[in-house]
Amino acid sequence: FDKETEATKNLYGFDQKETRPFGQQLLAARRFVERGVRFIQIMHGDGAAGAWDQHSNLKSGHTKLAMQVDRPIAGLLKDLKSRGLLDETLVVFATEFGRTPGSQGANGRDHHPYAFTVWMAGGGVKPGITYGASDDIGFNALHDKVHVHDFQATVLHLLGIDHEQLTFKFQGRHFRLTDVHGKVVNDIVA
């Protein structure tokens, strides 16, 4: 990172001990993008779900984790856009599950697959839109629901891959990442 300007390093949060580690990962990702690396996966929170998979002390734990990622993520998006790379770089921020809207124990929440948020930027996604909504307490998705197969089909489409062409036959049945389902959510595609 020695060749990066101080302004760029600070954009990613190098000047704060809390944001520096994740900022370094995201700045490295930007540099990989510049060099033509096609797929980059960044994990935060001790790998996999790691630290984010909390079932207690959510307010303090998630506040700390969010503080570690917010500035570096904003820096990555701003940096990619300023370099003309955001249009061709799909950024996906997702988790394995949402969290129940009700309490688990005194100060926690359990896994919740019925309504949760994923955000995407760049790479052919319409900017500045919200797609879908849950009920008032976030328990169930209400409209414009996106099944995991539809999400996968959409991401593959944005990457220039027809998910239906990834079909292979095994033991007499056709298989693919999106199973025999999956429709591209064209309302979010620019």
Side-chain angles (χ1 to χ4, degrees):
F1 301 124
D2 291 344
K3 294 180 182 175
E4 297 289 345
T5 66
E6 286 303 310
T8 297
K9 289 189 270 189
N10 289 341
L11 185 65
Y12 285 85
F14 279 42
D15 58 335
Q16 293 181 351
K17 66 178 179 160
E18 297 84 5
T19 54
R20 183 181 178 98
F22 196 59
Q24 288 174 323
Q25 291 182 63
L26 296 187
L27 182 52
R30 191 225 65 214
R31 293 178 67 150
F32 285 137
V33 167
E34 288 177 314
R35 287 156 180 80
V37 175
R38 296 192 60 199
F39 298 97
I40 303 158
Q41 180 174 338
I42 305 291
M43 305 292 259
H44 178 263
D46 304 324
W52 285 95
D53 191 13
Q54 299 174 354
H55 293 263
S56 61
N57 301 317
L58 288 181
K59 183 170 176 35
S60 62
H62 282 179
T63 297
K64 176 183 169 186
L65 294 169
M67 193 269 303
Q68 293 171 3
V69 301
D70 282 351
R71 184 170 168 202
I73 290 168
L76 172 68
L77 296 174
K78 185 176 181 179
D79 198 16
L80 288 172
K81 186 173 183 176
S82 74
R83 295 168 188 271
L85 295 169
L86 188 57
D87 289 342
E88 62 188 50
T89 304
L90 177 63
V91 179
V92 179
F93 197 93
T95 66
E96 60 174 343
F97 281 107
R99 290 288 173 185
T100 55
S103 177
Q104 175 189 20
N107 57 6
R109 299 188 317 180
D110 202 359
H111 294 168
H112 187 69
Y114 304 113
F116 59 97
T117 301
V118 171
W119 67 257
M120 301 190 293
V125 175
K126 285 181 185 174
I129 67 163
T130 299
Y131 186 84
S134 68
D135 58 31
D136 288 342
I137 62 169
F139 193 83
N140 287 305
L142 285 184
H143 63 81
D144 296 331
K145 300 174 188 178
V146 178
H147 189 276
V148 67
H149 297 310
D150 299 337
F151 176 71
Q152 291 170 337
T154 304
V155 168
L156 289 169
H157 173 79
L158 291 166
L159 296 174
I161 300 169
D162 180 351
H163 72 102
E164 293 181 352
Q165 297 299 310
L166 294 176
T167 303
F168 62 96
K169 196 168 189 173
F170 178 71
Q171 294 183 341
R173 182 174 180 260
H174 287 96
F175 288 88
R176 64 179 185 236
L177 179 63
T178 56
D179 198 12
V180 292
H181 311 286
K183 294 181 180 161
V184 174
V185 183
N186 286 308
D187 289 343
I188 70 163
V189 177

Short mmCIF file of all heavy atoms in Angstrom, two decimals, residues 58-123:
data_model
loop_
_atom_site.label_atom_id
_atom_site.label_comp_id
_atom_site.label_asym_id
_atom_site.label_seq_id
_atom_site.Cartn_x
_atom_site.Cartn_y
_atom_site.Cartn_z
N LEU A 58 -26.32 -8.03 20.98
CA LEU A 58 -26.33 -7.56 19.58
C LEU A 58 -26.05 -6.07 19.45
O LEU A 58 -25.31 -5.68 18.54
CB LEU A 58 -27.68 -7.86 18.92
CG LEU A 58 -27.96 -9.33 18.61
CD1 LEU A 58 -29.31 -9.47 17.94
CD2 LEU A 58 -26.88 -9.91 17.74
N LYS A 59 -26.62 -5.27 20.31
CA LYS A 59 -26.43 -3.82 20.14
C LYS A 59 -24.96 -3.45 20.22
O LYS A 59 -24.44 -2.79 19.32
CB LYS A 59 -27.23 -3.04 21.18
CG LYS A 59 -27.11 -1.53 21.00
CD LYS A 59 -28.09 -0.78 21.86
CE LYS A 59 -27.99 0.70 21.85
NZ LYS A 59 -27.65 1.39 20.68
N SER A 60 -24.27 -3.91 21.23
CA SER A 60 -22.85 -3.55 21.35
C SER A 60 -22.02 -4.28 20.30
O SER A 60 -21.13 -3.68 19.67
CB SER A 60 -22.33 -3.86 22.75
OG SER A 60 -22.43 -5.25 23.03
N GLY A 61 -22.30 -5.56 20.07
CA GLY A 61 -21.51 -6.33 19.11
C GLY A 61 -21.66 -5.86 17.69
O GLY A 61 -20.67 -5.64 16.98
N HIS A 62 -22.89 -5.66 17.24
CA HIS A 62 -23.11 -5.24 15.86
C HIS A 62 -22.74 -3.77 15.65
O HIS A 62 -22.35 -3.38 14.55
CB HIS A 62 -24.53 -5.54 15.42
CG HIS A 62 -24.73 -6.98 15.08
ND1 HIS A 62 -25.92 -7.49 14.67
CD2 HIS A 62 -23.87 -8.04 15.08
CE1 HIS A 62 -25.81 -8.79 14.44
NE2 HIS A 62 -24.56 -9.14 14.68
N THR A 63 -22.85 -2.95 16.69
CA THR A 63 -22.39 -1.57 16.58
C THR A 63 -20.89 -1.56 16.30
O THR A 63 -20.41 -0.83 15.42
CB THR A 63 -22.71 -0.78 17.87
OG1 THR A 63 -24.14 -0.74 18.02
CG2 THR A 63 -22.16 0.63 17.81
N LYS A 64 -20.16 -2.37 17.03
CA LYS A 64 -18.70 -2.45 16.85
C LYS A 64 -18.36 -2.97 15.44
O LYS A 64 -17.51 -2.40 14.75
CB LYS A 64 -18.11 -3.38 17.90
CG LYS A 64 -16.64 -3.64 17.76
CD LYS A 64 -16.16 -4.64 18.81
CE LYS A 64 -14.76 -5.10 18.53
NZ LYS A 64 -14.34 -6.17 19.44
N LEU A 65 -19.04 -4.01 15.00
CA LEU A 65 -18.75 -4.59 13.69
C LEU A 65 -19.14 -3.64 12.56
O LEU A 65 -18.40 -3.50 11.58
CB LEU A 65 -19.47 -5.93 13.54
CG LEU A 65 -18.97 -7.03 14.48
CD1 LEU A 65 -19.92 -8.22 14.46
CD2 LEU A 65 -17.56 -7.44 14.14
N ALA A 66 -20.29 -2.99 12.68
CA ALA A 66 -20.71 -2.05 11.65
C ALA A 66 -19.73 -0.90 11.53
O ALA A 66 -19.42 -0.44 10.43
CB ALA A 66 -22.12 -1.53 11.95
N MET A 67 -19.21 -0.44 12.65
CA MET A 67 -18.24 0.64 12.63
C MET A 67 -16.97 0.20 11.89
O MET A 67 -16.34 0.99 11.20
CB MET A 67 -17.90 1.06 14.07
CG MET A 67 -17.16 2.37 14.18
SD MET A 67 -15.38 2.20 14.16
CE MET A 67 -15.12 1.11 15.53
N GLN A 68 -16.62 -1.06 11.98
CA GLN A 68 -15.43 -1.56 11.30
C GLN A 68 -15.58 -1.60 9.79
O GLN A 68 -14.60 -1.50 9.06
CB GLN A 68 -15.09 -2.97 11.81
CG GLN A 68 -14.66 -3.03 13.24
CD GLN A 68 -14.55 -4.47 13.75
OE1 GLN A 68 -14.72 -5.44 13.01
NE2 GLN A 68 -14.26 -4.61 15.03
N VAL A 69 -16.81 -1.75 9.30
CA VAL A 69 -17.01 -1.93 7.86
C VAL A 69 -17.58 -0.72 7.12
O VAL A 69 -17.34 -0.58 5.92
CB VAL A 69 -17.89 -3.17 7.55
CG1 VAL A 69 -17.28 -4.43 8.11
CG2 VAL A 69 -19.31 -3.00 8.03
N ASP A 70 -18.33 0.13 7.80
CA ASP A 70 -19.03 1.21 7.10
C ASP A 70 -18.09 2.13 6.31
O ASP A 70 -18.30 2.38 5.12
CB ASP A 70 -19.85 2.06 8.08
CG ASP A 70 -21.15 1.38 8.47
OD1 ASP A 70 -21.50 0.36 7.87
OD2 ASP A 70 -21.82 1.89 9.39
N ARG A 71 -17.09 2.65 6.95
CA ARG A 71 -16.18 3.59 6.27
C ARG A 71 -15.40 2.92 5.15
O ARG A 71 -15.31 3.46 4.04
CB ARG A 71 -15.25 4.23 7.29
CG ARG A 71 -14.36 5.28 6.68
CD ARG A 71 -13.64 6.04 7.76
NE ARG A 71 -12.58 6.87 7.21
CZ ARG A 71 -11.55 7.30 7.91
NH1 ARG A 71 -11.45 7.00 9.19
NH2 ARG A 71 -10.63 8.03 7.34
N PRO A 72 -14.81 1.73 5.37
CA PRO A 72 -14.11 1.09 4.26
C PRO A 72 -15.01 0.76 3.07
O PRO A 72 -14.59 0.92 1.92
CB PRO A 72 -13.54 -0.19 4.90
CG PRO A 72 -13.36 0.16 6.34
CD PRO A 72 -14.55 1.05 6.65
N ILE A 73 -16.25 0.35 3.34
CA ILE A 73 -17.15 0.05 2.23
C ILE A 73 -17.47 1.32 1.44
O ILE A 73 -17.44 1.33 0.21
CB ILE A 73 -18.45 -0.62 2.73
CG1 ILE A 73 -18.16 -2.05 3.21
CG2 ILE A 73 -19.51 -0.64 1.64
CD1 ILE A 73 -19.29 -2.68 3.97
N ALA A 74 -17.78 2.39 2.16
CA ALA A 74 -18.04 3.67 1.48
C ALA A 74 -16.81 4.10 0.68
O ALA A 74 -16.94 4.59 -0.46
CB ALA A 74 -18.42 4.74 2.50
N GLY A 75 -15.63 3.89 1.24
CA GLY A 75 -14.40 4.23 0.54
C GLY A 75 -14.22 3.42 -0.73
O GLY A 75 -13.84 3.95 -1.78
N LEU A 76 -14.50 2.11 -0.65
CA LEU A 76 -14.38 1.25 -1.83
C LEU A 76 -15.32 1.73 -2.94
O LEU A 76 -14.90 1.88 -4.09
CB LEU A 76 -14.70 -0.20 -1.48
CG LEU A 76 -14.79 -1.16 -2.67
CD1 LEU A 76 -13.42 -1.34 -3.33
CD2 LEU A 76 -15.38 -2.50 -2.25
N LEU A 77 -16.58 1.97 -2.60
CA LEU A 77 -17.54 2.39 -3.62
C LEU A 77 -17.15 3.73 -4.24
O LEU A 77 -17.20 3.89 -5.46
CB LEU A 77 -18.95 2.47 -3.01
CG LEU A 77 -19.52 1.13 -2.53
CD1 LEU A 77 -20.85 1.35 -1.83
CD2 LEU A 77 -19.66 0.13 -3.66
N LYS A 78 -16.75 4.67 -3.40
CA LYS A 78 -16.33 5.98 -3.91
C LYS A 78 -15.09 5.86 -4.78
O LYS A 78 -15.01 6.48 -5.85
CB LYS A 78 -16.06 6.92 -2.73
CG LYS A 78 -15.73 8.33 -3.13
CD LYS A 78 -15.58 9.23 -1.91
CE LYS A 78 -15.28 10.66 -2.33
NZ LYS A 78 -15.14 11.55 -1.18
N ASP A 79 -14.14 5.05 -4.35
CA ASP A 79 -12.89 4.87 -5.10
C ASP A 79 -13.15 4.18 -6.44
O ASP A 79 -12.64 4.61 -7.48
CB ASP A 79 -11.91 4.06 -4.26
CG ASP A 79 -10.47 4.17 -4.72
OD1 ASP A 79 -10.15 5.09 -5.50
OD2 ASP A 79 -9.66 3.34 -4.28
N LEU A 80 -13.96 3.11 -6.44
CA LEU A 80 -14.28 2.43 -7.69
C LEU A 80 -14.97 3.39 -8.66
O LEU A 80 -14.64 3.43 -9.85
CB LEU A 80 -15.18 1.22 -7.44
CG LEU A 80 -14.54 0.01 -6.78
CD1 LEU A 80 -15.60 -1.02 -6.41
CD2 LEU A 80 -13.48 -0.62 -7.68
N LYS A 81 -15.90 4.19 -8.14
CA LYS A 81 -16.62 5.14 -9.00
C LYS A 81 -15.68 6.19 -9.57
O LYS A 81 -15.73 6.50 -10.76
CB LYS A 81 -17.76 5.80 -8.22
CG LYS A 81 -18.63 6.66 -9.09
CD LYS A 81 -19.86 7.17 -8.34
CE LYS A 81 -20.72 7.97 -9.30
NZ LYS A 81 -21.96 8.39 -8.65
N SER A 82 -14.79 6.73 -8.74
CA SER A 82 -13.89 7.79 -9.21
C SER A 82 -12.91 7.27 -10.26
O SER A 82 -12.43 8.04 -11.09
CB SER A 82 -13.12 8.40 -8.04
OG SER A 82 -12.13 7.52 -7.56
N ARG A 83 -12.64 5.98 -10.26
CA ARG A 83 -11.72 5.39 -11.22
C ARG A 83 -12.43 4.79 -12.43
O ARG A 83 -11.80 4.15 -13.27
CB ARG A 83 -10.87 4.32 -10.53
CG ARG A 83 -9.95 4.88 -9.47
CD ARG A 83 -9.33 3.79 -8.61
NE ARG A 83 -8.61 4.38 -7.50
CZ ARG A 83 -7.34 4.72 -7.53
NH1 ARG A 83 -6.64 4.55 -8.63
NH2 ARG A 83 -6.77 5.25 -6.48
N GLY A 84 -13.75 4.94 -12.49
CA GLY A 84 -14.51 4.40 -13.61
C GLY A 84 -14.65 2.88 -13.56
O GLY A 84 -14.92 2.26 -14.59
N LEU A 85 -14.49 2.30 -12.38
CA LEU A 85 -14.55 0.84 -12.26
C LEU A 85 -15.86 0.32 -11.70
O LEU A 85 -16.13 -0.87 -11.77
CB LEU A 85 -13.40 0.35 -11.36
CG LEU A 85 -11.99 0.57 -11.90
CD1 LEU A 85 -10.96 0.29 -10.81
CD2 LEU A 85 -11.76 -0.32 -13.11
N LEU A 86 -16.68 1.20 -11.12
CA LEU A 86 -17.90 0.72 -10.48
C LEU A 86 -18.90 0.16 -11.48
O LEU A 86 -19.59 -0.82 -11.19
CB LEU A 86 -18.54 1.82 -9.63
CG LEU A 86 -19.72 1.39 -8.75
CD1 LEU A 86 -19.32 0.27 -7.79
CD2 LEU A 86 -20.26 2.57 -7.97
N ASP A 87 -18.96 0.74 -12.66
CA ASP A 87 -19.91 0.26 -13.67
C ASP A 87 -19.64 -1.19 -14.06
O ASP A 87 -20.57 -1.91 -14.43
CB ASP A 87 -19.86 1.13 -14.93
CG ASP A 87 -20.47 2.50 -14.68
OD1 ASP A 87 -21.22 2.66 -13.70
OD2 ASP A 87 -20.20 3.42 -15.48
N GLU A 88 -18.39 -1.61 -13.99
CA GLU A 88 -18.05 -2.98 -14.40
C GLU A 88 -17.73 -3.90 -13.23
O GLU A 88 -17.34 -5.04 -13.41
CB GLU A 88 -16.86 -2.96 -15.36
CG GLU A 88 -15.60 -2.38 -14.75
CD GLU A 88 -14.48 -2.18 -15.76
OE1 GLU A 88 -14.74 -1.59 -16.81
OE2 GLU A 88 -13.36 -2.63 -15.47
N THR A 89 -17.90 -3.39 -12.00
CA THR A 89 -17.61 -4.18 -10.81
C THR A 89 -18.88 -4.34 -10.00
O THR A 89 -19.47 -3.36 -9.54
CB THR A 89 -16.54 -3.48 -9.94
OG1 THR A 89 -15.38 -3.25 -10.73
CG2 THR A 89 -16.17 -4.34 -8.74
N LEU A 90 -19.33 -5.57 -9.82
CA LEU A 90 -20.51 -5.85 -9.02
C LEU A 90 -20.08 -6.05 -7.57
O LEU A 90 -19.26 -6.90 -7.27
CB LEU A 90 -21.23 -7.10 -9.52
CG LEU A 90 -22.45 -7.55 -8.72
CD1 LEU A 90 -23.55 -6.49 -8.78
CD2 LEU A 90 -22.96 -8.89 -9.24
N VAL A 91 -20.64 -5.23 -6.68
CA VAL A 91 -20.36 -5.34 -5.25
C VAL A 91 -21.63 -5.88 -4.60
O VAL A 91 -22.71 -5.31 -4.75
CB VAL A 91 -19.99 -3.97 -4.64
CG1 VAL A 91 -19.73 -4.10 -3.15
CG2 VAL A 91 -18.78 -3.38 -5.36
N VAL A 92 -21.49 -6.98 -3.88
CA VAL A 92 -22.62 -7.62 -3.19
C VAL A 92 -22.28 -7.71 -1.71
O VAL A 92 -21.22 -8.21 -1.35
CB VAL A 92 -22.89 -9.04 -3.74
CG1 VAL A 92 -24.05 -9.70 -3.01
CG2 VAL A 92 -23.13 -9.02 -5.24
N PHE A 93 -23.19 -7.23 -0.87
CA PHE A 93 -23.00 -7.31 0.57
C PHE A 93 -24.16 -8.14 1.12
O PHE A 93 -25.31 -7.72 1.05
CB PHE A 93 -23.00 -5.91 1.20
CG PHE A 93 -22.42 -5.88 2.58
CD1 PHE A 93 -21.07 -5.61 2.78
CD2 PHE A 93 -23.22 -6.11 3.69
CE1 PHE A 93 -20.54 -5.57 4.05
CE2 PHE A 93 -22.69 -6.07 4.96
CZ PHE A 93 -21.34 -5.81 5.15
N ALA A 94 -23.84 -9.32 1.61
CA ALA A 94 -24.90 -10.25 2.03
C ALA A 94 -24.46 -11.03 3.26
O ALA A 94 -23.28 -11.05 3.62
CB ALA A 94 -25.20 -11.22 0.88
N THR A 95 -25.43 -11.68 3.86
CA THR A 95 -25.18 -12.56 4.99
C THR A 95 -25.83 -13.90 4.71
O THR A 95 -26.50 -14.08 3.71
CB THR A 95 -25.79 -11.98 6.28
OG1 THR A 95 -27.22 -11.98 6.15
CG2 THR A 95 -25.31 -10.58 6.55
N GLU A 96 -25.65 -14.83 5.62
CA GLU A 96 -26.29 -16.12 5.46
C GLU A 96 -27.75 -16.09 5.88
O GLU A 96 -28.56 -16.86 5.40
CB GLU A 96 -25.55 -17.19 6.28
CG GLU A 96 -25.54 -16.87 7.77
CD GLU A 96 -24.94 -17.97 8.62
OE1 GLU A 96 -24.81 -19.10 8.15
OE2 GLU A 96 -24.62 -17.68 9.78
N PHE A 97 -28.09 -15.21 6.82
CA PHE A 97 -29.44 -15.12 7.36
C PHE A 97 -29.69 -13.69 7.82
O PHE A 97 -28.76 -12.93 8.07
CB PHE A 97 -29.62 -15.99 8.62
CG PHE A 97 -29.82 -17.44 8.36
CD1 PHE A 97 -28.80 -18.33 8.64
CD2 PHE A 97 -31.01 -17.91 7.88
CE1 PHE A 97 -28.99 -19.69 8.41
CE2 PHE A 97 -31.22 -19.25 7.66
CZ PHE A 97 -30.20 -20.15 7.93
N GLY A 98 -30.96 -13.39 8.01
CA GLY A 98 -31.33 -12.19 8.73
C GLY A 98 -31.41 -12.55 10.21
O GLY A 98 -30.92 -13.61 10.64
N ARG A 99 -32.01 -11.70 10.98
CA ARG A 99 -32.21 -11.93 12.41
C ARG A 99 -33.69 -11.77 12.73
O ARG A 99 -34.37 -10.92 12.18
CB ARG A 99 -31.40 -10.94 13.25
CG ARG A 99 -29.92 -11.17 13.19
CD ARG A 99 -29.55 -12.43 13.95
NE ARG A 99 -28.15 -12.73 13.76
CZ ARG A 99 -27.57 -13.81 14.23
NH1 ARG A 99 -28.25 -14.70 14.92
NH2 ARG A 99 -26.30 -14.04 14.01
N THR A 100 -34.15 -12.61 13.65
CA THR A 100 -35.55 -12.53 14.06
C THR A 100 -35.84 -11.14 14.60
O THR A 100 -34.98 -10.51 15.22
CB THR A 100 -35.86 -13.55 15.17
OG1 THR A 100 -34.96 -13.35 16.25
CG2 THR A 100 -35.77 -14.97 14.66
N PRO A 101 -37.06 -10.64 14.38
CA PRO A 101 -37.40 -9.33 14.92
C PRO A 101 -37.66 -9.37 16.42
O PRO A 101 -37.65 -8.34 17.07
CB PRO A 101 -38.66 -8.94 14.14
CG PRO A 101 -39.24 -10.21 13.65
CD PRO A 101 -38.09 -11.17 13.49
N GLY A 102 -37.88 -10.55 16.97
CA GLY A 102 -38.12 -10.67 18.41
C GLY A 102 -36.86 -11.07 19.14
O GLY A 102 -35.86 -11.48 18.55
N SER A 103 -36.92 -10.96 20.45
CA SER A 103 -35.76 -11.23 21.29
C SER A 103 -35.49 -12.72 21.44
O SER A 103 -36.40 -13.54 21.47
CB SER A 103 -36.00 -10.61 22.67
OG SER A 103 -34.92 -10.90 23.53
N GLN A 104 -34.23 -13.05 21.53
CA GLN A 104 -33.79 -14.39 21.91
C GLN A 104 -33.04 -14.18 23.22
O GLN A 104 -31.99 -13.54 23.23
CB GLN A 104 -32.87 -14.99 20.86
CG GLN A 104 -32.29 -16.34 21.27
CD GLN A 104 -31.21 -16.82 20.30
OE1 GLN A 104 -30.63 -16.05 19.55
NE2 GLN A 104 -30.95 -18.11 20.33
N GLY A 105 -33.59 -14.69 24.30
CA GLY A 105 -32.97 -14.41 25.58
C GLY A 105 -33.19 -12.95 25.94
O GLY A 105 -34.16 -12.32 25.52
N ALA A 106 -32.27 -12.37 26.66
CA ALA A 106 -32.42 -11.00 27.13
C ALA A 106 -32.00 -9.96 26.09
O ALA A 106 -32.60 -8.90 26.00
CB ALA A 106 -31.61 -10.79 28.40
N ASN A 107 -30.99 -10.26 25.28
CA ASN A 107 -30.46 -9.22 24.40
C ASN A 107 -29.91 -9.79 23.09
O ASN A 107 -28.93 -9.31 22.56
CB ASN A 107 -29.37 -8.44 25.12
CG ASN A 107 -28.24 -9.34 25.60
OD1 ASN A 107 -28.22 -10.53 25.30
ND2 ASN A 107 -27.30 -8.77 26.33
N GLY A 108 -30.59 -10.82 22.57
CA GLY A 108 -30.13 -11.42 21.32
C GLY A 108 -31.27 -11.72 20.38
O GLY A 108 -32.43 -11.50 20.69
N ARG A 109 -30.91 -12.22 19.21
CA ARG A 109 -31.90 -12.65 18.23
C ARG A 109 -31.36 -13.87 17.49
O ARG A 109 -30.15 -14.03 17.34
CB ARG A 109 -32.20 -11.53 17.24
CG ARG A 109 -32.78 -10.32 17.93
CD ARG A 109 -33.26 -9.24 17.02
NE ARG A 109 -32.39 -8.96 15.90
CZ ARG A 109 -32.64 -8.04 14.99
NH1 ARG A 109 -33.73 -7.32 15.05
NH2 ARG A 109 -31.81 -7.83 14.00
N ASP A 110 -32.26 -14.70 17.00
CA ASP A 110 -31.87 -15.94 16.34
C ASP A 110 -31.82 -15.73 14.82
O ASP A 110 -32.21 -14.69 14.30
CB ASP A 110 -32.86 -17.05 16.70
CG ASP A 110 -32.28 -18.44 16.52
OD1 ASP A 110 -31.11 -18.55 16.11
OD2 ASP A 110 -32.99 -19.42 16.78
N HIS A 111 -31.35 -16.76 14.11
CA HIS A 111 -31.36 -16.72 12.64
C HIS A 111 -32.79 -16.56 12.13
O HIS A 111 -33.73 -17.03 12.75
CB HIS A 111 -30.79 -18.03 12.07
CG HIS A 111 -29.35 -18.22 12.38
ND1 HIS A 111 -28.72 -19.42 12.19
CD2 HIS A 111 -28.40 -17.39 12.87
CE1 HIS A 111 -27.45 -19.31 12.53
NE2 HIS A 111 -27.24 -18.09 12.95
N HIS A 112 -32.92 -15.94 10.97
CA HIS A 112 -34.24 -15.67 10.42
C HIS A 112 -34.18 -15.65 8.89
O HIS A 112 -33.67 -14.69 8.30
CB HIS A 112 -34.76 -14.33 10.94
CG HIS A 112 -36.17 -14.05 10.57
ND1 HIS A 112 -37.23 -14.76 11.09
CD2 HIS A 112 -36.70 -13.14 9.73
CE1 HIS A 112 -38.36 -14.28 10.58
NE2 HIS A 112 -38.06 -13.31 9.76
N PRO A 113 -34.68 -16.69 8.23
CA PRO A 113 -34.58 -16.76 6.76
C PRO A 113 -35.76 -16.14 6.00
O PRO A 113 -35.77 -16.16 4.79
CB PRO A 113 -34.53 -18.26 6.51
CG PRO A 113 -35.39 -18.84 7.59
CD PRO A 113 -35.13 -17.96 8.80
N TYR A 114 -36.75 -15.57 6.69
CA TYR A 114 -37.97 -15.14 6.02
C TYR A 114 -37.95 -13.72 5.48
O TYR A 114 -38.76 -13.38 4.63
CB TYR A 114 -39.17 -15.34 6.94
CG TYR A 114 -39.28 -16.77 7.42
CD1 TYR A 114 -39.08 -17.08 8.75
CD2 TYR A 114 -39.51 -17.81 6.52
CE1 TYR A 114 -39.13 -18.39 9.19
CE2 TYR A 114 -39.57 -19.12 6.94
CZ TYR A 114 -39.39 -19.40 8.28
OH TYR A 114 -39.43 -20.70 8.70
N ALA A 115 -37.07 -12.89 6.00
CA ALA A 115 -36.96 -11.52 5.50
C ALA A 115 -35.62 -10.96 5.96
O ALA A 115 -35.37 -10.89 7.16
CB ALA A 115 -38.10 -10.65 6.02
N PHE A 116 -34.77 -10.64 5.00
CA PHE A 116 -33.51 -9.99 5.36
C PHE A 116 -32.98 -9.23 4.16
O PHE A 116 -33.49 -9.34 3.06
CB PHE A 116 -32.48 -10.97 5.93
CG PHE A 116 -32.07 -12.11 5.03
CD1 PHE A 116 -30.93 -12.03 4.26
CD2 PHE A 116 -32.83 -13.27 4.99
CE1 PHE A 116 -30.53 -13.08 3.46
CE2 PHE A 116 -32.43 -14.33 4.19
CZ PHE A 116 -31.29 -14.23 3.42
N THR A 117 -31.96 -8.44 4.42
CA THR A 117 -31.48 -7.48 3.44
C THR A 117 -30.18 -7.92 2.80
O THR A 117 -29.29 -8.42 3.48
CB THR A 117 -31.26 -6.11 4.11
OG1 THR A 117 -32.49 -5.68 4.67
CG2 THR A 117 -30.75 -5.09 3.12
N VAL A 118 -30.09 -7.72 1.51
CA VAL A 118 -28.85 -7.84 0.73
C VAL A 118 -28.76 -6.55 -0.05
O VAL A 118 -29.78 -6.05 -0.54
CB VAL A 118 -28.93 -9.04 -0.25
CG1 VAL A 118 -27.75 -9.04 -1.20
CG2 VAL A 118 -29.04 -10.35 0.50
N TRP A 119 -27.58 -5.97 -0.16
CA TRP A 119 -27.46 -4.80 -1.03
C TRP A 119 -26.40 -5.04 -2.08
O TRP A 119 -25.45 -5.80 -1.86
CB TRP A 119 -27.27 -3.50 -0.26
CG TRP A 119 -25.99 -3.32 0.50
CD1 TRP A 119 -25.82 -3.44 1.85
CD2 TRP A 119 -24.71 -2.93 -0.02
NE1 TRP A 119 -24.51 -3.18 2.18
CE2 TRP A 119 -23.81 -2.86 1.06
CE3 TRP A 119 -24.24 -2.63 -1.30
CZ2 TRP A 119 -22.47 -2.50 0.90
CZ3 TRP A 119 -22.91 -2.29 -1.46
CH2 TRP A 119 -22.05 -2.22 -0.36
N MET A 120 -26.62 -4.41 -3.23
CA MET A 120 -25.69 -4.53 -4.35
C MET A 120 -25.45 -3.15 -4.94
O MET A 120 -26.31 -2.28 -4.86
CB MET A 120 -26.24 -5.46 -5.42
CG MET A 120 -26.51 -6.87 -4.91
SD MET A 120 -26.89 -8.07 -6.21
CE MET A 120 -28.43 -7.51 -6.82
N ALA A 121 -24.28 -2.98 -5.52
CA ALA A 121 -23.94 -1.72 -6.17
C ALA A 121 -23.08 -2.01 -7.39
O ALA A 121 -22.36 -3.01 -7.44
CB ALA A 121 -23.18 -0.81 -5.20
N GLY A 122 -23.15 -1.09 -8.36
CA GLY A 122 -22.31 -1.21 -9.55
C GLY A 122 -22.71 -2.38 -10.43
O GLY A 122 -23.79 -2.94 -10.31
N GLY A 123 -21.82 -2.74 -11.33
CA GLY A 123 -21.94 -3.95 -12.13
C GLY A 123 -23.26 -4.20 -12.83
O GLY A 123 -23.66 -5.34 -12.99
#
